[in-house]
């Protein structure tokens, strides 16, 4: 079923009655959880990592716009009530105030949902923080398609928006280890950072495939080698890529996975070197629109450097997405493991 | 202005019954999902009953009828409450209630204009409704259409700067056809509004911005009727706000007592208890 997605005052409405047989549709949980994917989970990795870092780094303060509980910042608020500022639902002043705190020598970690930082507070981030190169860390839950709530909460274009901003470092972590290790890394970086956050019960994925893995700011890491395809992925799509690679292996296809959690600046050296290895299909995989994210960044890097492997992108379509249950939507828009396996097979 | 005759005329007792029906339908939708913003729906039911069964002009068969009063749900997450009112008003069929929040339903968890008849705007990114209301009120004036624009917003939205840009704009443009309803339930995602970003003294703020201000108990139907009537009858060319102090989860005592009511946790066996609590006080 498709929904009438543009405003049309003369639209004829058709009722959508519940299915007759007892089989109800799936439901759209507000706070999406990737915990159902079968991996072990860690609770609130960002909150706990920030508390640990703040014990060492006394410049750190936390701010939120009425979303402490939903960005795991409540863990920090409980540990350091005097270093926590509840700004109310006012994303613009939260960002401006974070800039002001940074001007006074503090290192603010400011949290909200990715849609509200990228859309509502953008100008404030651009001028007060990025242009001044201030050490403000903007950490945002519900990146890409991680809620079934519809376009008001689906930040499908946040990386595109922020990639256009000079000075800003952009992180798209895959799992609980990435999130936790990114915190000290971005605190050690003097400039402004935008980090996509996985919150609540966050799967711990990468170390299960790759026990020596460590997050390093600005570095892409080869998690798994392979001869038929190279999947360059970020965010939870690295989890999908690892799962897809295991499944493809069972079908006789050997896929490498290069995890690229720093979207900007991109680790162009590693990406070019890996893509130049002959005979492999190169596939990018991101939880983001096909416009302006990891895929286009990698494509531009490769073409500009004379690397021209067969190249395909797995990403969300350039449209406002439906509301619905997350597994339904991941399937519908082609970012489930199953559809990843199908696509890669069809491209080889 | 009072010459506008609402499509449905009912007595105060019937309004209480309408509010009860809205509460009941919202709880039933919550049960479908096992979750939902039922606290808000229970709290705002009386305001919606007075809106849809006393104040608003609309045609249930033609939700886009040009002569209708526009009712904007700025707070997308209150959709469950508006769906209940739209079902009660006959704009949506009652069976559809069972599809609430499920895949491809017309009743998504956050209200969107392209999904649901009677849902005028896509709210949910909070703090946008009042500005859209300013534009609609300007447009109606330009078209010499006597309809009113109602914008239902929350106390949380008082934190957004956009709300106050719109408030100033509405007064500057003398928008006597704009009525803003503020659900003051003293609750937001992280806690109590007054403890997080206090908007008091709220009436004085709106007055200073050039609005006609009333503040009422938003769960007192006769008081709401009087406030809506006064807002519609006012002669002055100025926008009107009715600040409605409401109680989250109103009508279901065991939920009223819960601490966290923004996204109130209701156990599987509690939905029926909530319905029973409502049924124990069914108005005539
Ligand atoms: C611009 C924006 N910022 C943040 C949010 C996330 N959010 C959803 S509901 C909510 C609480 C807002 O307060 P209010 O509407 O008064 O909450 P309620 O009374 O329903 O508890 C927040 C912060 C949002 N939807 N839009
Ligand atoms: Mg509120």
């Amino acid at each position: 079923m498709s929904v009438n997605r543009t405003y049309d005052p003369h639209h004829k409405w058709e009722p959508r009655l519940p299915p007759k047989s007892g089989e109800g549709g799936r439901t759209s949980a507000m706070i999406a959880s990737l915990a159902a994917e079968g991996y072990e989970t860690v609770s609130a990795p960002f909150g706990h990592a920030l508390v640990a870092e703040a014990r060492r780094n006394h410049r750190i303060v936390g701010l939120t716009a009425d979303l402490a509980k939903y960005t795991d910042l409540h863990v920090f608020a409980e540990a350091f009530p005097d270093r926590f500022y509840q700004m109310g639902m006012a994303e613009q002043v939260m960002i401006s105030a974070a800039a002001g705190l940074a001007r006074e020598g503090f290192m603010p970690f400011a949290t909200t949902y990715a849609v509200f930082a990228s859309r509502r507070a953008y100008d404030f981030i651009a001028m007060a923080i990025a242009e001044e190169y201030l050490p403000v860390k903007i950490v945002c839950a519900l990146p890409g398609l991680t809620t079934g709530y519809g376009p008001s909460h689906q930040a499908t274009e946040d990386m595109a928006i922020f990639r256009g901003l000079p000075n800003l470092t952009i992180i798209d972590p895959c799992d609980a280890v990435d999130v936790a290790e990114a915190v000290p890394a971005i605190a050690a970086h003097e400039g402004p950072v935008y980090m996509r956050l996985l919150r609540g019960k966050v799967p711990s994925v990468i170390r299960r495939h790759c026990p020596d893995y460590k997050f390093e700011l600005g570095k892409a890491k080869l998690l798994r080698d392979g001869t038929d395809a190279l999947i360059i992925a970020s965010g939870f799509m690295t989890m999908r890529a690892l799962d897809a690679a295991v499944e493809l292996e069972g079908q006789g296809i050997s896929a490498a996975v290069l995890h690229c959690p720093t979207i900007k600046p991109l680790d162009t050296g590693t990406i070019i070197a890996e893509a130049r290895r002959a005979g492999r299909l190169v596939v990018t995989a991101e939880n983001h629109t096909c416009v302006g994210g990891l895929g286009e960044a990698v494509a531009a890097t490769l073409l500009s450097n004379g690397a021209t492997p067969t190249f395909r992108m797995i990403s969300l379509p350039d449209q406002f997405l439906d509301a619905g249950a997350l597994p339904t939507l991941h399937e519908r828009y082609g970012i489930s493991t199953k559809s990843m396996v199908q696509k890669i097979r069809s491209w080889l | 202005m009072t010459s506008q005759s609402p499509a449905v005329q009912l007595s105060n007792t019937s309004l209480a019954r309408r509010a009860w029906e809205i509460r009941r339908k919202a709880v039933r939708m919550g049960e479908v999902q096992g979750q939902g913003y039922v606290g808000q729906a229970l709290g705002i039911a009386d305001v919606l009953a007075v809106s849809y069964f006393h104040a608003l002009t609309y045609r249930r068969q033609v939700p886009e009828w040009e002569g209708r009063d526009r009712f904007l749900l700025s707070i997308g997450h209150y959709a469950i409450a508006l769906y209940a009112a739209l079902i009660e008003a006959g704009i949506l069929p009652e069976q559809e209630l069972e599809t609430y929040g499920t895949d491809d339903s017309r009743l998504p968890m956050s209200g969107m204009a392209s999904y649901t008849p009677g849902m005028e705007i896509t709210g949910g990114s909070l703090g946008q409704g009042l500005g859209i209301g300013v534009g609609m009120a300007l447009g109606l004036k330009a078209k010499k259409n006597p309809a009113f624009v109602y914008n239902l917003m929350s106390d949380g939205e008082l934190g957004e700067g956009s709300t106050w840009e719109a408030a100033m704009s509405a007064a500057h443009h003398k928008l006597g056809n704009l009525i803003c309803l503020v659900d003051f339930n003293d609750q937001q995602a992280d806690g109590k509004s007054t403890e997080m970003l206090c908007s008091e003294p709220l009436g004085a703020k709106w007055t200073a911005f050039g609005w006609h201000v009333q503040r009422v108990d938003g769960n007192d139907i006769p008081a709401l009727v009087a406030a809506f009537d006064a807002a519609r009858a006012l002669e002055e060319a100025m926008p009107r706000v009715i600040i409605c102090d409401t109680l989250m989860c109103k009508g279901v005592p065991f939920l009223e007592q819960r601490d966290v009511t923004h996204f109130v946790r209701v156990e599987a066996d509690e939905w029926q208890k909530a319905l029973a609590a409502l049924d124990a006080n069914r108005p005539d």
Side-chain angles (χ1 to χ4, degrees), chain A residues 30 65-67 89 91 112-113 116 120 153, chain B residues 37 40 75 77-78 124-127 154-157 160 183 185 187-190 193 248 261-263:
Chain A
M30 162 60 189
D66 194 13
L67 287 171
M89 194 172 68
E91 294 79 11
T112 177
Y113 287 157
F116 306 125
R120 185 151 312 182
H153 286 64
Chain B
Y37 295 96
Q40 288 83 338
I75 22 183
H77 65 291
Y78 277 52
S125 176
L126 299 174
S154 66
D155 49 355
E157 289 185 289
E160 294 287 350
D183 180 14
N185 57 14
Q187 189 74 41
Q188 292 186 219
D190 275 342
S193 314
M248 275 268 203
T261 43
H262 170 70
F263 201 69

Side-chain angles (χ1 to χ4, degrees), chain A residues 67-78:
Chain A
L67 287 171
K69 278 193 255 175
Y70 298 84
T71 57
D72 293 343
L73 194 67
H74 64 289
V75 178
F76 175 87
E78 281 156 26

Side-chain angles (χ1 to χ4, degrees), chain A residues 4 9 13-16 18 26-29 66-69 86 89-91 120 149 322-325 328 332, chain B residues 33 35 37 64 95-96 99 101-104 106 109 113-115 125-126 128 156 159-160 188-190 196-197:
Chain A
N4 167 39
W13 295 100
E14 302 285 348
R16 282 243 180 93
R26 286 193 280 192
T27 63
S28 53
D66 194 13
L67 287 171
K69 278 193 255 175
Q86 171 58 264
M89 194 172 68
E91 294 79 11
R120 185 151 312 182
Y149 244 43
D322 293 341
T328 308
R332 183 171 297 172
Chain B
Q33 274 288 320
Q35 59 174 329
Y37 295 96
E64 284 91 6
Q95 307 98 289
E96 236 173 301
T99 71
T102 56
D103 290 347
D104 300 309
R106 293 200 302 176
M109 302 259 297
S114 61
Y115 279 68
S125 176
L126 299 174
Q128 299 204 12
E160 294 287 350
Q188 292 186 219
D190 275 342
M196 287 177 32
L197 179 57

Side-chain angles (χ1 to χ4, degrees), chain A:
Chain A
M1 269 181 284
S2 73
V3 173
N4 167 39
R5 303 314 303 275
T6 48
Y7 174 68
D8 171 8
H10 307 294
H11 177 63
K12 220 178 143 335
W13 295 100
E14 302 285 348
R16 282 243 180 93
L17 301 179
K20 289 220 168 49
S21 63
E23 55 157 69
R26 286 193 280 192
T27 63
S28 53
M30 162 60 189
I31 300 304
S33 173
L34 296 166
E37 312 255 345
Y39 285 96
E40 262 173 64
T41 60
V42 176
S43 187
F46 167 65
H48 293 292
L50 189 60
V51 167
E53 185 60 20
R55 291 200 204 288
R56 293 188 288 270
N57 183 338
H58 299 282
R59 293 166 67 203
I60 290 177
V61 291
L63 294 85
T64 191
D66 194 13
L67 287 171
K69 278 193 255 175
Y70 298 84
T71 57
D72 293 343
L73 194 67
H74 64 289
V75 178
F76 175 87
E78 281 156 26
F80 297 104
D82 298 341
R83 292 160 71 178
F84 169 73
Y85 300 94
Q86 171 58 264
M87 302 303 287
M89 194 172 68
E91 294 79 11
Q92 296 176 342
V93 72
M94 172 180 75
I95 291 297
S96 300
L101 281 157
R103 293 300 295 252
E104 295 299 332
F106 293 91
M107 178 178 283
F109 277 69
T111 75
T112 177
Y113 287 157
V115 274
F116 306 125
S118 59
R119 296 176 185 164
R120 185 151 312 182
Y122 180 75
D123 186 26
F124 299 79
I125 293 169
M127 293 318 297
I129 292 172
E131 200 271 338
E132 307 250 338
Y133 200 71
L134 294 177
V136 177
K137 320 299 169 181
I138 301 155
V139 180
C140 294
L142 303 188
L145 180 53
T146 48
T147 167
Y149 244 43
S152 63
H153 286 64
Q154 291 160 346
T156 50
E157 82 293 16
D158 60 334
M159 297 202 288
I161 291 172
F162 284 127
R163 275 186 66 228
L165 205 48
N167 290 352
L168 190 68
T169 294
I170 303 173
I171 315 283
D172 188 19
C174 165
D175 71 349
V177 167
D178 253 359
V179 167
E181 294 187 355
V183 170
I186 64 179
H189 171 72
E190 258 317 301
V193 175
Y194 171 68
M195 178 161 112
R196 291 179 126 197
L197 178 66
L198 304 169
R199 48 79 56 192
K201 285 191 168 38
V202 182
S204 186
V205 177
I206 302 182
R207 289 249 172 91
R208 229 182 67 178
H209 292 263
C210 197
D212 300 334
Y213 174 78
K214 278 197 171 48
F215 173 89
E216 270 183 89
L217 194 63
K219 288 277 184 297
K221 299 263 169 112
L222 195 69
L223 302 182
R224 175 190 172 104
D225 213 347
T227 51
D228 300 318
L230 167 69
I231 308 172
I232 304 175
S234 71
F236 75 73
M237 288 306 283
T238 296
M239 169 171 90
R240 296 268 191 270
L242 289 165
D243 291 344
V246 170
E247 236 179 282
L248 287 165
E249 188 173 35
Q251 303 175 20
I253 294 168
S254 164
V257 176
L258 181 67
H259 176 43
C260 189
T262 307
I263 301 294
K264 193 181 176 186
L266 203 59
D267 183 357
T268 52
T270 306
I271 289 171
I272 295 164
E274 283 298 328
R276 279 223 170 100
R277 283 172 55 191
R280 293 196 299 189
L281 166 74
V282 173
V283 178
T284 57
E286 64 194 303
N287 166 33
H288 187 267
T289 161
C290 55
V291 178
L294 176 70
E296 287 193 354
V298 169
T301 299
L302 296 184
L303 271 180
S304 310
N305 289 278
T308 54
T310 304
F311 177 84
R312 296 286 184 276
M313 283 167 54
I314 292 173
S315 58
L316 297 167
D318 176 24
Q319 68 190 58
F320 287 109
L321 308 183
D322 293 341
L326 214 48
T328 308
L329 300 179
H330 282 191
E331 203 67 60
R332 183 171 297 172
Y333 296 116
I335 62 166
S336 66
T337 304
K338 191 173 130 208
S339 82
M340 197 165 185
V341 168
Q342 278 168 357
K343 281 182 192 166
I344 292 174
R345 281 184 61 99
S346 76
W347 290 331
L348 276 168

